[in-house]
Amino acid sequence: MPSDHSSTVSTEHFARTEAVMGKRKFDDNQITGILKEHQAGVTVADVCHRYGISEPTFYRWQSLQSGNVGLHAKRLRALEEENQKLKRLLAESMLSAATLSEMLAKTSKGRH
C-alpha cells in the first residue's frame, strides 16, 4: 500500500481534464479515499455505485495513482541521494573549519 504523501492522483491530468470537461466532482483527497476503500476490500462495483462514478473512471484513477507512486519513488530516491551529498559536503566543511580553528589557535599562541 502506498504511503499517504505519494497517493495523490495527478493534478496536472485533472487540470487538463477540467479545462475540457468542466469542474471536477471529486478532489484528489476524495479520489484517494475512494481508491483506498477498494483496497480495504469493497468491490469496484460497490464503490462506483456509492460515489456515482463509472468503472472506467475508477480504473483510470487507479492507473493514474499507480503511475504517480512510481514518480514519487524516483523523486524520493533523487532527494535521498542529494541529501547524502549535502551531508558529505557539510561534514567536509565542518572538518575544514575545525582544522582552520586549530591552526589559528596554534599560531596565535605562538605569537603571545
Side-chain angles (χ1 to χ4, degrees):
M1 180 187 280
S3 62
D4 287 337
H5 71 278
S6 65
S7 61
T8 58
V9 179
S10 170
T11 53
E12 295 164 4
H13 167 77
F14 287 116
R16 282 183 269 127
T17 303
E18 247 182 77
V20 174
M21 298 175 59
K23 189 171 183 331
R24 289 174 44 205
K25 187 173 178 180
F26 299 100
D27 66 22
D28 292 344
N29 292 331
Q30 291 170 320
I31 292 170
T32 299
I34 292 168
L35 294 174
K36 284 184 179 181
E37 235 180 271
H38 170 64
Q39 290 173 346
V42 181
T43 66
V44 172
D46 288 343
V47 170
C48 291
H49 179 71
R50 179 177 298 142
Y51 294 100
I53 59 173
S54 67
E55 287 189 21
T57 295
F58 176 87
Y59 288 115
R60 185 179 71 245
W61 289 349
Q62 197 173 46
S63 170
L64 289 169
Q65 182 186 41
S66 64
N68 279 342
V69 170
L71 289 175
H72 289 298
K74 285 180 184 177
R75 282 190 205 136
L76 180 60
R77 272 193 302 276
L79 287 172
E80 286 172 345
E81 287 173 12
E82 182 180 6
N83 191 31
Q84 289 301 317
K85 288 177 188 175
L86 291 172
K87 283 181 179 181
R88 270 192 302 273
L89 287 171
L90 178 62
E92 290 169 4
S93 175
M94 291 174 73
L95 182 61
S96 256
T99 304
L100 289 172
S101 291
E102 281 180 32
M103 290 173 57
L104 182 62
K106 288 179 184 177
T107 56
S108 62
K109 283 182 185 176
R111 290 186 183 168
H112 290 284

